[in-house]
Amino acid sequence: MKKIVVLIGIVGLLMTSCSVSKAAREKRNLLSGTWILEDVSYENNTGNFSSIIFNDAQDICFEGSNWFFRDNNSTGRYTIAPSSLCNGGDRYIRWSVVDREENYASQLQFKFIDAKNKDIDGGLGYRLNIDTLTPTNMILKSNNQVDGEQVTIVYNFTKK
């Protein structure tokens, strides 16, 4: 009987130590579903910018892209429409929400996987600050350096 109680205690401890926080769970639930990336813009600097995002495609290619997040197994994809500038198609991802310390934004992190959910970039991934997340709108931001100065890329989504 003692062994069963100890085993139940260990299992319970493992389950609580590996679980995500309530705030992260709520954000995961809000993220679940299909989103349209309406606009990619830049802030914190002046001038015209163009960039290759996620080592994948030009920023213009992401505008209008569909993003799908499945929360029950943390997988998803984004789809870029093909054009003369854009190599269209699905990009599969594994994603999660990371809670940051107090006074810092939570982050959406993801890495690329293949259609069979296997890592394809040796663990390389991306983190985007969650600026706004409601049932219908999401704004993600990432800070980057251009010529030694900070530029923030802003990703504006609406839920489909």
Side-chain angles (χ1 to χ4, degrees), residues 1 3 8-9 14 27 31-32 57 75 105 108 111 113 121 124-125 139 142 148-149 153 158:
M1 185 65 175
K3 289 181 183 181
I8 290 172
L14 286 174
K27 286 182 175 89
L31 266 163
S32 184
T75 61
L108 168 67
K111 66 179 182 175
I113 58 175
D121 282 338
L124 174 67
I139 298 174
S142 63
E149 295 191 30
I153 303 176
T158 56

Side-chain angles (χ1 to χ4, degrees), residues 41-52:
S41 60
Y42 299 86
E43 63 182 32
N44 297 335
N45 212 316
T46 58
N48 293 326
F49 294 95
S50 178
S51 59
I52 303 296

Side-chain angles (χ1 to χ4, degrees), residues 14-44:
L14 286 174
M15 288 177 63
T16 58
S17 66
C18 296
S19 66
V20 295
S21 72
K22 181 179 177 185
R25 249 189 333 273
E26 288 172 359
K27 286 182 175 89
R28 285 179 58 81
N29 289 339
L30 282 173
L31 266 163
S32 184
T34 302
W35 296 82
I36 306 298
L37 179 50
E38 301 288 347
D39 180 56
V40 177
S41 60
Y42 299 86
E43 63 182 32
N44 297 335

Side-chain angles (χ1 to χ4, degrees), residues 40-84:
V40 177
S41 60
Y42 299 86
E43 63 182 32
N44 297 335
N45 212 316
T46 58
N48 293 326
F49 294 95
S50 178
S51 59
I52 303 296
I53 297 178
F54 312 129
N55 288 330
D56 182 16
Q58 291 183 19
D59 51 5
I60 192 79
C61 298
F62 282 87
E63 292 185 359
S65 61
N66 286 295
W67 291 65
F68 175 71
F69 299 96
R70 182 180 295 116
D71 68 343
N72 68 343
N73 68 358
S74 302
T75 61
R77 72 178 176 283
Y78 64 85
T79 306
I80 293 177
S83 74
S84 60

Side-chain angles (χ1 to χ4, degrees), residues 72-144:
N72 68 343
N73 68 358
S74 302
T75 61
R77 72 178 176 283
Y78 64 85
T79 306
I80 293 177
S83 74
S84 60
L85 294 175
C86 310
N87 183 13
D90 292 333
R91 279 73 160 164
Y92 298 98
I93 60 172
R94 178 167 308 283
W95 65 278
S96 62
V97 173
V98 178
D99 275 338
R100 301 291 307 262
E101 296 176 23
E102 194 173 317
N103 299 327
Y104 290 97
S106 295
Q107 294 179 319
L108 168 67
Q109 70 178 6
F110 71 91
K111 66 179 182 175
F112 291 106
I113 58 175
D114 63 19
K116 296 181 180 179
N117 299 334
K118 302 290 185 207
D119 180 18
I120 60 174
D121 282 338
L124 174 67
Y126 302 91
R127 282 193 177 186
L128 304 170
N129 293 325
I130 300 173
D131 183 71
T132 303
L133 181 59
T134 71
T136 58
N137 295 305
M138 174 169 60
I139 298 174
L140 304 176
K141 295 183 176 184
S142 63
N143 296 322
N144 300 279

